[in-house]
């Protein structure tokens, strides 16, 4: 299932240098990091509001928007979905409280 994340990341990377008038992704990169981060924040709020609404389809749609824009943010930071997936794998099986405590110590 994570294959779709990499496929999207590849397309995002391909469109990074496209004409911003012709590509939504290119228009995001053209706005710079602040514009990308603002969009991620907006999408996070929309996902939260969708969850509060209790409408399943809206939650799915808004979460997809959030994930997509997060992939753009990762690309802007020169990171890949695999980097995040490896971190999730590292945390798998750890207590959330233990993992958080380890981050605070380190």
């Amino acid at each position: 299932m994570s294959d779709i994340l990499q496929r999207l990341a590849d397309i995002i990377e391909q469109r990074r240098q496209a004409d911003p008038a012709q590509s939504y992704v290119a228009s995001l990169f053209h706005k710079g990091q602040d514009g990308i981060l603002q969009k991620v924040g907006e999408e996070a709020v929309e996902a939260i509001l969708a969850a509060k609404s209790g409408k399943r389809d809206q939650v799915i749609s808004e979460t997809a928007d959030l994930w997509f824009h997060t992939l753009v943010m990762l690309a802007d930071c020169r990171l890949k979905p695999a980097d995040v997936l490896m971190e999730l794998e590292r945390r798998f099986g750890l207590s959330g409280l233990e993992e958080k405590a380890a981050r605070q110590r380190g």
Side-chain angles (χ1 to χ4, degrees):
M1 214 180 298
S2 65
D3 180 55
I4 188 64
L5 296 177
Q6 187 55 54
R7 288 175 30 214
L8 281 169
D10 291 344
I11 290 170
I12 288 167
E13 201 54 50
Q14 289 169 10
R15 295 186 182 161
R16 177 190 289 269
Q17 300 301 326
D19 179 358
Q22 301 295 317
S23 167
Y24 175 69
V25 170
S27 74
L28 289 171
F29 283 114
H30 186 72
K31 292 176 183 176
Q33 186 179 53
D34 287 347
I36 292 168
L37 297 178
Q38 180 178 352
K39 192 62 181 170
V40 171
E42 289 171 9
E43 296 300 340
V45 169
E46 290 174 9
I48 290 166
L49 293 174
K52 291 289 286 179
S53 79
K55 295 179 181 169
R56 182 180 186 276
D57 290 346
Q58 224 179 338
V59 173
I60 291 168
S61 177
E62 294 300 340
T63 301
D65 289 347
L66 175 58
W67 287 12
F68 175 81
H69 289 88
T70 299
L71 288 172
V72 174
M73 178 190 71
L74 288 173
D76 187 59
C77 294
R78 304 291 187 201
L79 295 168
K80 298 188 179 304
D83 298 315
V84 178
L85 294 173
M86 286 188 324
E87 176 62 11
L88 289 172
E89 180 71 27
R90 184 192 69 77
R91 294 181 186 187
F92 192 79
L94 291 177
S95 154
L97 296 175
E98 291 171 2
E99 195 281 327
K100 184 175 181 180
R103 278 188 287 143
Q104 291 173 343
R105 285 192 302 262

